[in-house]
Amino acid sequence: MAERNQDFVLNGQPGIIDHACDKCYRIYMTASGEIRHCHPIVGDGLSIGRPCCAVFACRKPLQNNRHRYCKTHFSRHDICAVILCEEPITGSDSKTCSDPEHKEFERKNKEKGASNFILKERFRYTQASQPVDTLATQQIDHVDDVEETTIEWFEVDDNTNTVRLKSRANPGTVGTEADTTLPPPDPCPSKSAAGNRIAKAQFSRKRTHNEQTLVRPCGIIYARATMFGAEAVSNFLVMVQNAFSVPGAKKPEHIFYDTNCLARQQAEKSFPWFNGIGMCVDVWHFLNKHQTTHQYCQENCNPVQFPELLDEFGKWFFNTSVAEQINAWLQGYHSIVREMLPDKFDFFLDEMIMRRNVEHLKKLAEQGYNPRSLDD
């Protein structure tokens, strides 16, 4: 499996690298009468992850999905779980040192875990008496993953000597301005907004941040990659460059991405590979998620500025929301892959994508969209 996974990374999806059809490849005439072509790609992230090392952005695999740390960082199991504390744990049944405050952090964490277990058991009891929909079942089955998919911290009130466990959802895509009302990533500040001391602890393994997909506007999935620490725009740019550097690949003429206003600025500064490639925000996100006061975005990332994206009737030629539609399909495999380690995880998703592409190519042919190789 590892060998085939590596082959997909080095050579891309079989039979897809040079795919073109009438839905994703357009030949058009410019205002000056020049004949050009446009073969775009659409990028989007999906919050579906697998267990990984608790060290931020570590790419080394866990030896066992019950471990918190990979082989390289395995000795961290014997160190206190509180961030910035390097004292040894007090025993094999503990994850913290002898500091009473750190012991209270661990007690609060276990208390939260017990409440999750009780809620889960209550839900399973109700299943015997009434049917539930698939979504609800999937959500409750993921109760055990709460610690791995949320950002948590402890607030200590020195006046009353009390500890409170607080959390918020992982923000997902990183590319917009940070929320300054919440604690930033490690290391933690010494005070919260309320004036209490705050601290963080790593009591569990982490999960990979998301899966990034690149999709042709016709629905053919071109590539997939795992984002570990965050879906920063720099990570997205590296992924696109790698995906279109495999044998037989040709640069896309246009890239649609929901935070292209940031990605494009970074590409102009640090990624000369993207010179000459159009980069705009997809239509839906531009209308609904981007501020009209963002001057660079409004001047450079409005899709209407690119005539190759509009047909002769002034309508959008390409489906720029296709990646989100594909990710909705891929999300259906979350419950299957969420405990898989890297080799099986990558193998399974690549296999599902390959099979979907084969079936989709048949549909495109049946519908008269003329799927073909660019070299034909």
Side-chain angles (χ1 to χ4, degrees):
M1 284 191 289
E3 289 177 359
R4 202 193 79 157
N5 294 343
Q6 185 65 10
D7 180 67
F8 271 50
V9 172
L10 296 177
N11 298 299
Q13 277 277 342
I16 296 302
I17 298 302
D18 59 352
H19 163 78
C21 71
D22 295 344
K23 291 188 75 175
C24 69
Y25 185 84
R26 183 188 183 199
I27 298 175
Y28 66 100
M29 181 181 294
T30 66
S32 62
E34 183 182 359
I35 301 297
R36 292 185 180 180
H37 64 271
C38 185
H39 197 205
I41 200 77
V42 186
D44 193 38
L46 168 68
S47 296
I48 175 175
R50 57 165 175 79
C52 66
C53 180
V55 173
F56 181 78
C58 176
R59 294 173 176 267
K60 300 290 185 180
L62 298 177
Q63 295 173 281
N64 185 298
N65 63 5
R66 295 182 181 273
H67 293 165
R68 279 188 293 156
Y69 296 98
C70 66
K71 185 177 180 179
T72 302
H73 301 108
F74 200 81
S75 61
R76 298 296 306 176
H77 285 101
D78 299 324
I79 304 298
C80 181
V82 178
I83 305 299
L84 302 183
C85 179
E86 295 295 320
E87 295 298 315
I89 59 174
T90 55
S92 59
D93 60 342
S94 174
K95 295 180 180 178
T96 55
C97 63
S98 57
D99 188 316
E101 187 173 274
H102 295 181
K103 287 296 182 188
E104 179 64 9
F105 294 166
E106 186 173 16
R107 190 191 71 79
K108 287 283 187 180
N109 182 73
K110 289 180 177 179
E111 185 179 75
K112 179 208 68 176
S115 65
N116 287 341
F117 177 80
I118 293 171
L119 288 173
K120 189 173 182 180
E121 288 302 303
R122 286 183 180 180
F123 180 82
R124 285 177 173 168
Y125 177 78
T126 62
Q127 284 184 302
S129 59
Q130 63 183 28
V132 294
D133 61 61
T134 303
L135 181 59
T137 304
Q138 191 176 52
Q139 288 173 331
I140 202 71
D141 281 347
H142 293 175
V143 164
D144 295 337
D145 295 338
V146 168
E147 189 173 338
E148 300 161 10
T149 55
T150 58
I151 297 173
E152 297 183 338
W153 67 97
F154 297 90
E155 287 197 4
V156 183
D157 188 335
D158 290 322
N159 295 323
T160 60
N161 200 30
T162 57
V163 174
R164 292 183 176 86
L165 174 59
K166 297 198 172 185
S167 66
R168 64 182 173 96
N170 193 306
T173 301
V174 174
T176 55
E177 295 181 2
D179 186 345
T180 56
T181 63
L182 296 171
D186 306 330
C188 303
S190 59
K191 296 287 184 179
S192 71
N196 299 328
R197 282 191 299 114
I198 75 171
K200 290 183 71 176
Q202 188 63 51
F203 287 112
S204 70
R205 64 198 179 179
K206 288 185 182 290
R207 284 187 175 273
T208 53
H209 189 271
N210 69 68
E211 293 301 302
Q212 188 74 29
T213 55
L214 296 177
V215 186
R216 292 294 186 190
C218 61
I220 288 294
I221 305 170
Y222 181 87
R224 174 197 64 84
T226 299
M227 299 291 179
F228 283 81
E231 189 192 328
V233 293
S234 58
N235 293 341
F236 173 75
L237 294 174
V238 169
M239 184 236 179
V240 173
Q241 183 171 342
N242 290 341
F244 284 95
S245 298
V246 301
K250 297 178 181 178
K251 287 186 183 182
E253 282 72 34
H254 207 97
I255 299 171
F256 296 98
Y257 184 50
D258 55 2
T259 51
N260 249 344
C261 46
L262 298 177
R264 178 169 172 161
Q265 291 180 78
Q266 189 155 344
E268 290 173 351
K269 295 177 181 177
S270 309
F271 291 85
W273 186 89
F274 288 85
N275 291 346
I277 298 177
M279 298 178 68
C280 73
V281 177
D282 64 273
V283 177
W284 189 88
H285 279 94
F286 188 84
L287 289 174
N288 297 281
K289 296 292 184 177
H290 288 251
Q291 297 178 351
T292 57
T293 54
H294 193 299
Q295 185 175 353
Y296 183 91
C297 182
Q298 296 297 318
E299 291 180 354
N300 298 278
C301 299
N302 187 333
V304 80
Q305 295 171 280
F306 301 88
E308 65 269 26
L309 306 181
L310 297 166
D311 64 19
E312 58 271 26
F313 303 105
K315 295 182 179 180
W316 300 113
F317 186 90
F318 301 106
N319 178 7
T320 61
S321 300
V322 65
E324 292 184 349
Q325 296 161 5
I326 292 299
N327 285 347
W329 163 79
L330 203 58
Q331 179 72 40
Y333 295 111
H334 188 194
S335 61
I336 297 175
V337 303
R338 68 190 185 95
E339 286 301 318
M340 289 182 179
L341 292 180
D343 288 342
K344 289 184 178 179
F345 181 88
D346 291 338
F347 181 90
F348 181 86
L349 289 184
D350 286 341
E351 183 71 19
M352 294 302 102
I353 288 172
M354 184 175 65
R355 295 187 179 202
R356 187 192 183 281
N357 280 342
V358 169
E359 293 302 314
H360 196 61
L361 284 171
K362 294 178 182 178
K363 291 182 180 179
L364 290 172
E366 293 171 356
Q367 295 170 356
Y369 288 110
N370 188 26
R372 58 195 180 275
S373 167
L374 279 175
D375 295 328
D376 291 347

mmCIF file of all heavy atoms in Angstrom, residues 7-8 20 103 109 128 130 154 204 211 216 228 239 262 277 285 298 307 309:
data_model
loop_
_atom_site.group_PDB
_atom_site.id
_atom_site.type_symbol
_atom_site.label_atom_id
_atom_site.label_comp_id
_atom_site.label_asym_id
_atom_site.label_seq_id
_atom_site.Cartn_x
_atom_site.Cartn_y
_atom_site.Cartn_z
ATOM 1 N N ASP A 7 3.451 6.020 -5.438
ATOM 2 C CA ASP A 7 3.322 6.112 -6.899
ATOM 3 C C ASP A 7 2.276 7.161 -7.281
ATOM 4 O O ASP A 7 2.467 7.912 -8.245
ATOM 5 C CB ASP A 7 2.928 4.748 -7.473
ATOM 6 C CG ASP A 7 2.789 4.782 -8.994
ATOM 7 O OD1 ASP A 7 3.809 4.974 -9.670
ATOM 8 O OD2 ASP A 7 1.653 4.624 -9.482
ATOM 9 N N PHE A 8 1.188 7.246 -6.524
ATOM 10 C CA PHE A 8 0.161 8.254 -6.786
ATOM 11 C C PHE A 8 0.717 9.657 -6.566
ATOM 12 O O PHE A 8 0.383 10.592 -7.298
ATOM 13 C CB PHE A 8 -1.060 8.021 -5.887
ATOM 14 C CG PHE A 8 -2.077 7.091 -6.486
ATOM 15 C CD1 PHE A 8 -1.692 5.863 -7.004
ATOM 16 C CD2 PHE A 8 -3.414 7.420 -6.527
ATOM 17 C CE1 PHE A 8 -2.617 4.989 -7.552
ATOM 18 C CE2 PHE A 8 -4.355 6.553 -7.076
ATOM 19 C CZ PHE A 8 -3.948 5.339 -7.592
ATOM 20 N N ALA A 20 -9.196 16.026 -20.405
ATOM 21 C CA ALA A 20 -9.915 17.231 -20.834
ATOM 22 C C ALA A 20 -11.279 16.808 -21.346
ATOM 23 O O ALA A 20 -11.472 15.674 -21.793
ATOM 24 C CB ALA A 20 -9.148 17.975 -21.922
ATOM 25 N N LYS A 103 -2.355 18.406 37.978
ATOM 26 C CA LYS A 103 -3.226 17.276 38.318
ATOM 27 C C LYS A 103 -4.692 17.660 38.191
ATOM 28 O O LYS A 103 -5.534 16.860 37.762
ATOM 29 C CB LYS A 103 -2.943 16.795 39.745
ATOM 30 C CG LYS A 103 -1.630 16.040 39.907
ATOM 31 C CD LYS A 103 -1.662 14.755 39.112
ATOM 32 C CE LYS A 103 -0.385 13.958 39.296
ATOM 33 N NZ LYS A 103 -0.321 12.798 38.378
ATOM 34 N N ASN A 109 -10.002 17.123 32.580
ATOM 35 C CA ASN A 109 -10.019 16.463 31.281
ATOM 36 C C ASN A 109 -10.715 15.107 31.356
ATOM 37 O O ASN A 109 -11.518 14.741 30.488
ATOM 38 C CB ASN A 109 -8.591 16.299 30.772
ATOM 39 C CG ASN A 109 -8.533 15.650 29.401
ATOM 40 O OD1 ASN A 109 -8.865 16.259 28.399
ATOM 41 N ND2 ASN A 109 -8.098 14.404 29.368
ATOM 42 N N ALA A 128 -32.616 1.891 20.699
ATOM 43 C CA ALA A 128 -33.393 0.654 20.763
ATOM 44 C C ALA A 128 -34.879 0.923 20.661
ATOM 45 O O ALA A 128 -35.663 0.039 20.314
ATOM 46 C CB ALA A 128 -33.097 -0.082 22.072
ATOM 47 N N GLN A 130 -36.276 4.043 19.138
ATOM 48 C CA GLN A 130 -36.694 4.932 18.059
ATOM 49 C C GLN A 130 -35.620 5.046 16.998
ATOM 50 O O GLN A 130 -34.438 4.981 17.299
ATOM 51 C CB GLN A 130 -37.038 6.324 18.611
ATOM 52 C CG GLN A 130 -35.854 7.032 19.262
ATOM 53 C CD GLN A 130 -36.269 8.355 19.854
ATOM 54 O OE1 GLN A 130 -37.398 8.550 20.254
ATOM 55 N NE2 GLN A 130 -35.345 9.297 19.888
ATOM 56 N N PHE A 154 -7.162 25.787 29.577
ATOM 57 C CA PHE A 154 -7.612 25.894 30.965
ATOM 58 C C PHE A 154 -7.412 27.323 31.441
ATOM 59 O O PHE A 154 -6.371 27.938 31.188
ATOM 60 C CB PHE A 154 -6.800 24.948 31.866
ATOM 61 C CG PHE A 154 -6.971 23.496 31.530
ATOM 62 C CD1 PHE A 154 -6.130 22.878 30.617
ATOM 63 C CD2 PHE A 154 -7.981 22.752 32.116
ATOM 64 C CE1 PHE A 154 -6.278 21.537 30.303
ATOM 65 C CE2 PHE A 154 -8.145 21.410 31.805
ATOM 66 C CZ PHE A 154 -7.301 20.796 30.898
ATOM 67 N N SER A 204 -4.292 14.116 24.405
ATOM 68 C CA SER A 204 -4.647 13.109 23.395
ATOM 69 C C SER A 204 -3.769 13.281 22.165
ATOM 70 O O SER A 204 -3.007 14.249 22.050
ATOM 71 C CB SER A 204 -6.118 13.245 23.001
ATOM 72 O OG SER A 204 -6.311 14.430 22.254
ATOM 73 N N GLU A 211 -8.232 17.307 4.400
ATOM 74 C CA GLU A 211 -7.815 16.807 3.094
ATOM 75 C C GLU A 211 -8.100 17.896 2.065
ATOM 76 O O GLU A 211 -9.202 18.461 2.039
ATOM 77 C CB GLU A 211 -8.568 15.526 2.725
ATOM 78 C CG GLU A 211 -8.228 14.338 3.600
ATOM 79 C CD GLU A 211 -6.751 13.993 3.559
ATOM 80 O OE1 GLU A 211 -6.234 13.728 2.456
ATOM 81 O OE2 GLU A 211 -6.108 13.998 4.626
ATOM 82 N N ARG A 216 -11.246 19.176 -11.435
ATOM 83 C CA ARG A 216 -11.579 19.839 -12.687
ATOM 84 C C ARG A 216 -13.043 20.289 -12.638
ATOM 85 O O ARG A 216 -13.865 19.653 -11.975
ATOM 86 C CB ARG A 216 -11.371 18.890 -13.869
ATOM 87 C CG ARG A 216 -9.920 18.511 -14.150
ATOM 88 C CD ARG A 216 -9.098 19.684 -14.601
ATOM 89 N NE ARG A 216 -7.739 19.287 -15.012
ATOM 90 C CZ ARG A 216 -6.777 20.143 -15.265
ATOM 91 N NH1 ARG A 216 -6.993 21.456 -15.144
ATOM 92 N NH2 ARG A 216 -5.571 19.720 -15.636
ATOM 93 N N PHE A 228 -1.523 18.873 7.480
ATOM 94 C CA PHE A 228 -1.283 18.428 8.847
ATOM 95 C C PHE A 228 -1.626 19.502 9.877
ATOM 96 O O PHE A 228 -2.604 19.384 10.596
ATOM 97 C CB PHE A 228 0.174 17.973 8.993
ATOM 98 C CG PHE A 228 0.419 16.614 8.402
ATOM 99 C CD1 PHE A 228 0.620 16.468 7.038
ATOM 100 C CD2 PHE A 228 0.429 15.484 9.195
ATOM 101 C CE1 PHE A 228 0.839 15.223 6.475
ATOM 102 C CE2 PHE A 228 0.635 14.221 8.647
ATOM 103 C CZ PHE A 228 0.844 14.092 7.285
ATOM 104 N N MET A 239 1.043 22.431 -2.540
ATOM 105 C CA MET A 239 0.296 21.270 -3.028
ATOM 106 C C MET A 239 -0.012 21.394 -4.516
ATOM 107 O O MET A 239 0.161 20.444 -5.284
ATOM 108 C CB MET A 239 -0.997 21.122 -2.231
ATOM 109 C CG MET A 239 -1.814 19.892 -2.594
ATOM 110 S SD MET A 239 -3.490 20.332 -3.081
ATOM 111 C CE MET A 239 -4.178 18.728 -3.466
ATOM 112 N N LEU A 262 -5.497 35.897 -0.612
ATOM 113 C CA LEU A 262 -4.282 35.754 0.179
ATOM 114 C C LEU A 262 -3.260 34.887 -0.545
ATOM 115 O O LEU A 262 -2.062 35.182 -0.524
ATOM 116 C CB LEU A 262 -4.614 35.150 1.546
ATOM 117 C CG LEU A 262 -5.548 35.986 2.426
ATOM 118 C CD1 LEU A 262 -5.865 35.250 3.712
ATOM 119 C CD2 LEU A 262 -4.934 37.337 2.732
ATOM 120 N N ILE A 277 -0.598 32.497 -14.232
ATOM 121 C CA ILE A 277 -1.810 31.721 -13.922
ATOM 122 C C ILE A 277 -2.846 32.644 -13.296
ATOM 123 O O ILE A 277 -2.542 33.381 -12.354
ATOM 124 C CB ILE A 277 -1.494 30.555 -12.966
ATOM 125 C CG1 ILE A 277 -0.511 29.572 -13.608
ATOM 126 C CG2 ILE A 277 -2.773 29.840 -12.556
ATOM 127 C CD1 ILE A 277 -0.107 28.426 -12.691
ATOM 128 N N HIS A 285 -18.072 32.232 -2.984
ATOM 129 C CA HIS A 285 -17.317 32.813 -1.876
ATOM 130 C C HIS A 285 -17.060 34.300 -2.095
ATOM 131 O O HIS A 285 -17.064 35.083 -1.138
ATOM 132 C CB HIS A 285 -15.992 32.065 -1.696
ATOM 133 C CG HIS A 285 -16.127 30.782 -0.941
ATOM 134 N ND1 HIS A 285 -16.298 29.569 -1.557
ATOM 135 C CD2 HIS A 285 -16.125 30.533 0.390
ATOM 136 C CE1 HIS A 285 -16.397 28.618 -0.646
ATOM 137 N NE2 HIS A 285 -16.293 29.175 0.532
ATOM 138 N N GLN A 298 -10.861 42.848 -4.226
ATOM 139 C CA GLN A 298 -11.816 43.409 -5.175
ATOM 140 C C GLN A 298 -11.160 43.776 -6.507
ATOM 141 O O GLN A 298 -11.770 43.656 -7.567
ATOM 142 C CB GLN A 298 -12.489 44.648 -4.576
ATOM 143 C CG GLN A 298 -13.332 44.355 -3.339
ATOM 144 C CD GLN A 298 -14.502 43.440 -3.633
ATOM 145 O OE1 GLN A 298 -15.181 43.582 -4.645
ATOM 146 N NE2 GLN A 298 -14.756 42.482 -2.751
ATOM 147 N N PRO A 307 -12.358 37.254 -18.748
ATOM 148 C CA PRO A 307 -13.345 36.969 -19.796
ATOM 149 C C PRO A 307 -13.394 35.498 -20.211
ATOM 150 O O PRO A 307 -14.431 35.039 -20.702
ATOM 151 C CB PRO A 307 -12.893 37.868 -20.959
ATOM 152 C CG PRO A 307 -11.461 38.183 -20.680
ATOM 153 C CD PRO A 307 -11.341 38.214 -19.195
ATOM 154 N N LEU A 309 -13.712 33.071 -18.409
ATOM 155 C CA LEU A 309 -14.611 32.334 -17.526
ATOM 156 C C LEU A 309 -16.078 32.521 -17.910
ATOM 157 O O LEU A 309 -16.947 31.827 -17.372
ATOM 158 C CB LEU A 309 -14.400 32.779 -16.069
ATOM 159 C CG LEU A 309 -12.952 32.708 -15.540
ATOM 160 C CD1 LEU A 309 -12.913 33.152 -14.094
ATOM 161 C CD2 LEU A 309 -12.391 31.302 -15.702
#
